[in-house]
Amino acid sequence: MRRVAITGAGTVNALAFDVAGTLAAMSAGRCGIGALEMRDVERLSIRIGAQVRGWEADARFDRQELTLYDRVTQFTLEASRQAVAQAGLDFTGALGLQAGVVLGTAAGGLTTWDESYRAVYAEGKNRVHPLVVPKLMNSAPASHVSMQTGIRGPVFTVSSACASSNHAMGLAFQLVRSGAVTAMVTGGAEAMLSFGGIKAWEGLRVMSPDGCRPFSADRNGMVMGEGAAVFVFEDLDHARARGAGILAEVAGFGMTSDAGDIVMPNVEGAGRAIAAALRDAGMAPEEVGYVNAHGTGTAANDRIEAAALRGVFGPALAGVAVSSTKAMHGHVIGGTGAIELLACILALRDGVIAPNLGYGAPDPDCALDIVAGAAREKPVAAVLSNAFAFGGLNAVLALRRA
Amino acid sequence: MTIAHHIRTIIAEQAVLDLADVSLDSRLDALGLDSLGLVETIFAIEEAYDVSVPFNANDPAASGFDLSTVGSVVMAVERLVAAKAA
């Protein structure tokens, strides 16, 4: 089986519109959460989020592109452009036939749904823009990346709620490792911070009105973010042969289902996914220096994630630094695992563990070595990135230093 | 319909019980109302009375809306309705 290298990365999120800016913000422990700015915000009970501000879509895309690109596609295309440029791969020739795109999103072009429903229901209009369907479909970002890069192999979108981009990157990893393709453009995106999107989440009563505090005793819910992160996964030998810079090695992937509850997470199912990722990577728990936790800041997730980690790592957990970076970039739902992979690269490449902001007081149910307050310098050779979705869908990636 | 009767009806429907099995001193957890049932119950109350129930599933105690028994829910709704009329 082939080994899999990450040779390119790109992102747009509330912290920055590129990887360098995002890693600098993570190292500095900067919080991207603030007051939401949108039409009808006074009708929302949740008014904070990690919004991408100052995006200026009109200046980035022409009129024809804007008719086809929902916000989720816009973020994806910019992140993909950065990742492919860094990798230095040209997919317009034969390589494009040996490459694919697999991206994750939970809600796809939700803003387009939202605006079109407003037009026909609230404003009484009898028609919507003729290109609404290709704009809102969940696979639109993947198709546009394919069209822009010339990638002509396996191209599709996976959707598994908050685990979408981890599932996407896990599949991309498996496709490269198996030899089916030479390279994959992969990651995920979400742009659910629209009025209707927040209204839907408000109903669940799991959102915090005042801040994201993962694993802290005073946590009271999640805070939503938006954005994208996209990577180039490449056959490691292919990358070495052409002298490409390698950001990290994807070493293993584990995925499981709880077969339990549609919203409550489960210790056993999460633990099996963590153990499966370690096993797939041939990685001993003692090797792992950092876990980028799912850490949503809800009462249930953080308690159950901590129990799952304790169950798998046992005494080795003492050597594992843990942080949830969601208190900086928000919970980017289907794109969150991709943005969190950037924190894993920061740890592996630079030996900097991004902090878990908002950690005020320890919770005995979340007894972990939480990197609270500020980043921690610690050389790490291996990391895990957890994602545990509504519906009991768990996806965990294992990475090693390049 | 009194508020008490109406709240009992809402909770009985969510817990899939006969109205006779839902009394004011019934505890919600004892009625088998899970977290989703609780969220749906609160939604039904908000819709019926056009009020906003301050409930966060992460920290139910902090909401000030006592969800321990059917009777405590009735009293909390009566307070919200009175506050709305004032």
Side-chain angles (χ1 to χ4, degrees):
Chain A
M1 282 198 297
R2 291 171 170 177
R3 290 169 66 186
V4 180
I6 303 177
T7 54
T11 188
V12 172
N13 64 78
L15 297 171
F17 297 170
D18 60 14
V19 171
T22 300
L23 297 188
M26 286 180 169
S27 303
R30 191 158 66 73
C31 177
I33 294 169
L36 286 173
E37 293 171 4
M38 69 176 65
R39 180 176 171 183
D40 294 334
V41 70
E42 66 282 358
R43 287 176 55 205
L44 295 170
S45 61
I46 298 298
R47 297 180 187 179
I48 59 169
Q51 263 181 316
V52 170
R53 293 163 186 273
W55 174 240
E56 294 180 351
D58 294 347
R60 292 173 179 273
F61 305 101
D62 66 29
R63 195 187 60 82
Q64 274 183 313
E65 289 171 330
L66 286 170
T67 61
L68 286 167
Y69 298 169
D70 180 272
R71 197 166 167 85
V72 76
T73 299
Q74 295 172 20
F75 294 158
T76 302
L77 283 174
E78 172 56 19
S80 163
R81 186 194 63 74
Q82 296 168 17
V84 172
Q86 181 178 27
L89 290 172
D90 179 2
F91 295 109
T92 57
L95 184 63
L97 301 169
Q98 289 300 315
V101 180
V102 53
L103 297 170
T105 185
L110 186 93
T111 307
T112 300
W113 284 105
D114 215 19
E115 288 173 355
S116 303
Y117 280 147
R118 193 197 294 267
V120 292
Y121 293 138
E123 294 166 359
K125 292 186 178 168
N126 281 324
R127 60 180 70 84
V128 295
H129 191 279
L131 299 178
V132 155
V133 167
K135 189 176 181 181
L136 61 74
M137 59 193 189
N138 279 21
S139 49
S143 291
H144 285 296
V145 169
S146 165
M147 289 185 273
Q148 290 223 329
T149 56
I151 290 175
R152 285 154 285 157
V155 175
F156 56 100
T157 290
V158 299
S159 191
S160 52
C162 307
S164 300
S165 55
N166 267 23
H167 274 114
M169 294 187 293
L171 289 178
F173 162 67
Q174 292 177 340
L175 282 163
V176 176
R177 183 169 67 170
S178 72
V181 294
T182 301
M184 291 295 290
V185 172
T186 186
E190 205 71 78
M192 235 186 149
L193 280 174
S194 68
F195 183 78
I198 297 167
K199 269 285 167 227
W201 275 100
E202 272 182 10
L204 269 173
R205 310 281 182 156
V206 296
M207 307 272 279
S208 169
D210 50 24
C212 179
R213 298 182 285 277
F215 300 108
S216 184
D218 62 353
R219 67 188 183 276
N220 65 355
M222 52 171 273
V223 175
M224 196 149 67
E226 63 178 351
V230 174
F231 303 88
V232 175
F233 285 11
E234 182 177 350
D235 169 12
L236 186 95
D237 289 338
H238 186 270
R240 280 186 179 154
R242 67 187 186 89
I246 296 173
L247 298 170
E249 179 179 355
V250 189
F253 177 53
M255 50 180 162
T256 64
S257 175
D258 298 342
D261 194 274
I262 197 67
V263 292
M264 279 299 286
N266 173 285
V267 176
E268 190 266 343
R272 279 190 297 118
I274 295 167
L278 289 171
R279 197 166 53 242
D280 191 45
M283 192 180 279
E286 292 74 17
E287 285 182 62
V288 177
Y290 171 57
V291 172
N292 183 288
H294 191 55
T296 56
T298 62
N301 174 83
D302 297 2
R303 172 171 46 82
I304 282 166
E305 183 168 14
L309 286 168
R310 273 198 305 276
V312 175
F313 279 83
L317 193 58
V320 181
V322 178
S323 71
S324 163
T325 48
K326 286 185 174 71
M328 292 188 278
H329 51 66
H331 189 343
V332 190
I333 316 295
T336 209
I339 290 172
E340 289 160 32
L341 201 71
L342 294 168
C344 294
I345 289 172
L346 180 68
L348 291 167
R349 192 190 62 178
D350 301 339
V352 174
I353 311 285
N356 186 114
L357 299 188
Y359 189 76
D363 175 351
D365 286 339
C366 304
L368 300 164
D369 177 14
I370 299 291
V371 180
R376 182 188 299 175
E377 290 191 22
K378 177 190 176 186
V380 294
V383 306
L384 297 183
S385 184
N386 289 344
F388 308 125
F390 272 172
L393 311 183
N394 312 301
V396 178
L397 288 158
L399 296 96
R400 282 199 176 91
R401 194 161 52 206
Chain B
M1 203 188 309
T2 64
I3 288 178
H5 184 76
H6 190 196
I7 298 297
R8 281 177 59 219
T9 310
I10 289 172
I11 291 172
E13 188 184 349
Q14 286 298 332
V16 200
L17 293 168
D18 289 334
L19 185 59
D21 296 329
V22 177
S23 63
L24 288 179
D25 55 5
S26 303
R27 290 194 57 83
L28 295 199
D29 47 9
L31 292 176
L33 209 60
D34 65 8
S35 61
L36 288 182
L38 199 58
V39 167
E40 285 196 79
T41 299
I42 288 164
F43 172 70
I45 291 169
E46 289 181 324
E47 286 290 284
Y49 294 98
D50 191 22
V51 294
S52 186
V53 175
F55 173 75
N56 180 337
N58 294 286
D59 193 0
S63 60
F65 191 93
D66 185 351
L67 289 155
S68 51
T69 68
V70 176
S72 70
V73 174
V74 170
M75 278 192 289
V77 172
E78 285 171 345
R79 271 199 307 276
L80 285 175
V81 171
K84 189 185 158 205

